[in-house]
Amino acid sequence: MSLPENLKKFRQKFFGNSVSAFGWTSLILLILLAIAPAKNFFSDWLRYQRGYERLISRRSDAVTLRRHFESGIQQIWLPELGVVDRCTTCHSAMKEATLADVSLQPYRPHPPIPHKLEEFGCVLCHRGQGTATSVEDAHKSTLAWEEPILPAKYLESSCGQCHQRDLQGTPQLNLGRKMLRAYGCVHCHTIKQPDGSVITATDDPPSLTHIADKTSREWVFAWLKDPQAYSTTATMPNFKLSDDDARDISAFLISSSTPASLKLVQSSLDTAKKIKDDATLQTKASSLYGESFCASCHAVQNAAGNLVGGNIGPELTKVGSKVRPEWLQAWVRNPHDYDPATGMPHYRFNDEQVGELTGFLLAKSDADLLANLHLDAATPEQIAHGKRLVNDYGCASCHEINGVKRPENFAPELTKIGSKPVNQLAFAPGVDHNLYSYIGAKIKQPRAFGASLKMPQYTFTPSQVDALTSALLSHNERALTIPAAKTVPALPPSHYEPAGKAGQLIADLNCFSCHAINGRGGDMAPDLTWEGSSVQRDWLLQFFRDPNTLRPALIRRMPKFNLTDAEIATLTDYILTVYQSPKVDRDSMPLTGYPPGQVELGKQLYYSKYGCQSCHIIDTKQDKGYIGPTLTHVGSRLTAAWVYNWMKDPAALRPGTQEPKRNMSDDDARALTAFLMSQRGNEKQEAKR
Amino acid sequence: MTRILLIALLPAIVLSACSGHSTAASPEPAAYGAAIVESSGGKQITEVGTPLPQPVVVQVNDDQGAAVTGALVQLTGPNGIYLDPASGLTDPSGQFTSNISLGVTPGRYQIVATTKTKSGKNVDLKLEEIALGYQEVLGSQLNDQYCARCHNQESSPERVSNYDNLEVKPHPFTEGDTLNKMTDADLTAIISHGGPALNKSPLMAPYGYTLSKSEIQSLIAYIRMVSDPPYGAPGIVYAQK
């Protein structure tokens, strides 16, 4: 049978007369009309809503839960944030705290967070497609939907879109942001914050203008080939240079170096050479290294292979294989002569001490480091090629180099990296096709994306890679368009400079390397912004002469700088006059002369009501508290006004202090102040008599 | 003809697609042990969705207690957990090491390590890891800042414990036997108003004027999460696909 014949038969059978034609047409129409509601009926969201109703019907608070529940497509629309979210259509229990035990998605309530769902929506933090109403479309990158849900481990990046300051709840983001500054990422990549300011680096790569004075071409070669072979903690990344390229770059750097004006004292150099070759003399010199608290900033590998010491300055395990003796003695004498911007303090060592320390450090060498390394004299071609390479690799983005200008925008700007469309990314083989995997892989192994790429290889741990990825994801289009009223802008960097003679001393001693004052400086040592309200003059003078730690559980880190009495007086007077809190008038309460009754009451309060002995020591025989400073001499260290205000609200004077506020009455605070001010060490005994 | 070919190909395609999802075939065991024990890596705490700080290491021993090399160890865990690798043979020291990332749901994740004995019987070892959600992470930071110096007995070079210096010993937060008996209201009271609020030692200072209400809640969420034995309801998480 032919087709037209078939069709004819079919038409005859179903549409032969008007009644059956009407009947069949209606049926077809009905089926067609049913498609839309049926599609709806079998949709993901309706299935989940029915599941939710079943779930809550079994709960004891079913009535309340059902009253909260709204069926149908739900939507959160926040025009000013650009948020249209339908997530709550399926995630029905977002705000039901009583369902906290439910682990079945999509019915888990949201864990408590400081923000309201209806003010921020969902995709602002979780990404994904807010407007989608099927599981696949909402969570994955499918078809035209680009944005997958952000994995939990990068979630903190979303906080960073609005919060440009460190947050307590986002340790990973804080670390990532710190690393962007500290590992020199921002030397090459420009990153603008939403307020328009550019993120600045906190590391300070050394200037190479006088490099030939400091070290040998062989060391430069070895360092360029593998910085971590010299020091495992080196932050300089590995550029994976060929032997020829490293040879030419080292040739150029040494040839471009100009002499620095370094002070050479022959007697220091002689002492150094003597000590370098004599193990017994080194032991003696090591005590000067210890007394000077070099280890507060510099680490050295011990016999067990563990690094001991701080990480503010470079590791010194193999420093003897690196530096020239003439340079080292000048550096120990006054580092500012070689590098005016260094963070290392100017210790006032005499020539003998300079020699001792130099010799001690020169002995810290590794014979293997430069063994079998012979570089022939550089040819002009090699030097020219080296200069080209220095330009190609952007060395001058970080280091000051004679004859090479710092390149502008050497690497791609990363201001919007967190929202870069996936279709603009070139993925390396084996990398999942989404933005966060791309960023992570790029940080982990940049050269996997192409051997000719210039980005160097860093030695990050997986959690450091995640932290950096989070920090970069927070720099996106959305962060730039969120209304300013909804954001917490970054703290502007402090450019505080102390004035006058004391200012010069503070710069010379580089106090800011460890202490912060008025928002500028490091966090290794106490903030000194209000030190002048806090301490007594005699104590501060004595502290500068012989600094010691106040807390039994802390190792002392403050070095003795061998200051003259005049210098100490200048610093002390400046601190006491300038670093005063407007909240504490240091002269408002007397240091001594409190009535014995009040002192006795304070003692009772100290030991029974407030249990201060759990953290502090006053009676060295029975108290054992290890957390706060020892208070045996507190009456000759602190001002009474400071102690009183501290009793009232410690965190107001030192934000973040462990000591809790006790909501103390004025009388209690005064009695405790009286008791504490009576603790004057040896004088205490006399007072008792 | 094409139709027949298609029908023949279809099961093959389906099969290959399915096998792509299942885990790679386990290697053949070269030896069999009698017991499986934990070497390290149990009871770790991490944030949801992040790798555990240390890998999990288990050891297979024979009936004499000597390490067995080449025994097959298989790890299983709730959905959402990522085991790298999920199975393998023990190394020359009888150990099997796996790097583990926990899922996105806060809670306790039970991991079962299984090995077969010579007779084909399975022996199990259960390990538990804890994933902290946002609230518990916040709590753990407050713990580090304000509580751990006294409530954690362990000292590190950066943080010397004050536990031994106290006349009345504080309860470590893992001490579930005691802390699980206290209600959230009890804990809130003792954190806010100090030990005397519950007739306990005044050496426990009040933190109600230092911490906000939500911070205290976070701290309690953290305390509940790390307690051993586990606290009440939430129990083990079985995250849904």
Side-chain angles (χ1 to χ4, degrees), chain A residues 254-272:
Chain A
I254 296 293
S255 75
S256 69
S257 165
T258 52
S261 57
L262 299 177
K263 190 179 167 199
L264 179 66
V265 177
Q266 196 55 45
S267 69
S268 302
L269 209 55
D270 294 342
T271 317

Side-chain angles (χ1 to χ4, degrees), chain A residues 103-105 108 112-114 152-153 156 168-169 171 553 608 613-614 624-627 656-658 660-663, chain B residues 47 49-50 104-106 134-135 138 141-142 145-146 149-150 160 162 165-166 202-203 205-207 209-210 215 240:
Chain A
S103 62
L104 193 71
Q105 282 294 32
R108 279 176 56 82
I113 47 164
K153 66 171 170 176
E156 290 176 16
Q168 196 179 27
S608 49
Q613 73 274 24
S614 55
K624 292 181 191 158
Y626 245 29
I627 297 178
T657 177
Q658 256 177 293
K661 183 178 167 181
R662 312 296 290 255
N663 207 30
Chain B
E47 274 183 64
T50 58
V104 297
T105 319
Y134 172 77
Q135 203 186 13
L138 216 59
Q141 287 179 330
L142 294 169
Q145 194 181 350
Y146 295 106
R149 288 291 295 277
C150 291
V160 180
N162 195 40
N165 299 329
L166 297 169
L203 295 182
Y207 282 85
Y209 304 101
T210 307
E215 283 177 321
Q240 201 234 11

Side-chain angles (χ1 to χ4, degrees), chain A residues 237-396:
Chain A
N238 190 334
F239 282 83
K240 308 259 173 188
L241 297 169
S242 69
D243 283 358
D244 284 357
D245 286 356
R247 176 196 68 200
D248 295 355
I249 293 179
S250 63
F252 168 69
L253 290 177
I254 296 293
S255 75
S256 69
S257 165
T258 52
S261 57
L262 299 177
K263 190 179 167 199
L264 179 66
V265 177
Q266 196 55 45
S267 69
S268 302
L269 209 55
D270 294 342
T271 317
K273 279 185 181 145
K274 227 185 295 157
I275 291 172
K276 189 191 159 196
D277 302 322
D278 188 332
T280 16
L281 290 176
Q282 275 166 35
T283 323
K284 192 178 154 255
S286 78
S287 64
L288 180 61
Y289 182 85
E291 279 164 28
S292 309
F293 289 86
C294 306
S296 293
C297 296
H298 296 280
V300 172
Q301 223 172 51
N302 64 12
N306 297 322
L307 279 178
V308 179
N311 61 2
I312 293 181
E315 181 190 333
L316 298 178
T317 314
K318 299 174 184 173
V319 67
S321 304
K322 173 183 177 183
V323 298
R324 297 182 188 283
E326 300 79 11
W327 177 87
L328 187 56
Q329 60 84 32
W331 178 263
V332 171
R333 182 170 295 108
N334 186 357
H336 297 287
D337 285 352
Y338 179 79
D339 178 5
T342 181
M344 167 134 162
H346 171 203
Y347 285 77
R348 277 92 169 127
F349 291 128
N350 61 32
D351 288 343
E352 177 66 19
Q353 289 172 316
V354 167
E356 256 184 64
L357 270 179
T358 306
F360 174 73
L361 290 173
L362 285 176
K364 297 196 171 302
S365 64
D366 176 7
D368 296 340
L369 188 74
L370 304 178
N372 307 320
L373 183 58
H374 300 292
L375 295 172
D376 294 330
T379 64
E381 291 78 37
Q382 286 174 357
I383 293 175
H385 182 236
K387 184 170 184 178
R388 253 197 325 278
L389 288 169
V390 163
N391 276 309
D392 283 354
Y393 283 106
C395 307

Side-chain angles (χ1 to χ4, degrees), chain B residues 69-223:
Chain B
T69 307
L72 176 67
V73 176
Q74 281 181 306
L75 299 181
T76 48
N79 284 335
I81 201 167
Y82 181 71
L83 308 157
D84 178 29
S87 67
L89 301 181
T90 51
D91 64 8
S93 52
Q95 294 184 332
F96 170 71
T97 306
S98 179
N99 293 300
I100 295 177
S101 293
L102 302 184
V104 297
T105 319
R108 284 157 193 271
Y109 284 71
Q110 196 179 66
I111 298 159
V112 183
T114 315
T115 190
K116 271 195 166 58
T117 62
K118 227 167 241 166
S119 54
K121 221 179 82 190
N122 278 341
V123 278
D124 284 353
L125 167 72
K126 291 194 177 77
L127 295 165
E128 219 170 60
E129 313 289 355
I130 297 173
L132 304 180
Y134 172 77
Q135 203 186 13
E136 293 87 13
V137 169
L138 216 59
S140 88
Q141 287 179 330
L142 294 169
N143 166 53
D144 285 348
Q145 194 181 350
Y146 295 106
C147 322
R149 288 291 295 277
C150 291
H151 283 274
N152 187 344
Q153 283 167 268
E154 273 162 44
S155 288
S156 63
E158 296 81 34
R159 186 179 56 77
V160 180
S161 176
N162 195 40
Y163 182 89
D164 291 334
N165 299 329
L166 297 169
E167 256 171 61
V168 184
K169 299 294 175 208
H171 296 291
F173 291 159
T174 46
E175 209 182 283
D177 287 332
T178 316
L179 295 177
N180 291 351
K181 283 183 206 140
M182 298 173 77
T183 62
D184 283 7
D186 285 345
L187 290 179
T188 310
I190 200 164
I191 295 171
S192 309
H193 305 298
L198 295 185
N199 276 330
K200 288 172 184 282
S201 165
L203 295 182
M204 166 69 201
Y207 282 85
Y209 304 101
T210 307
L211 302 176
S212 69
K213 261 188 189 154
S214 74
E215 283 177 321
I216 293 175
Q217 272 170 10
S218 304
L219 195 53
I220 294 174
Y222 170 77
I223 294 172

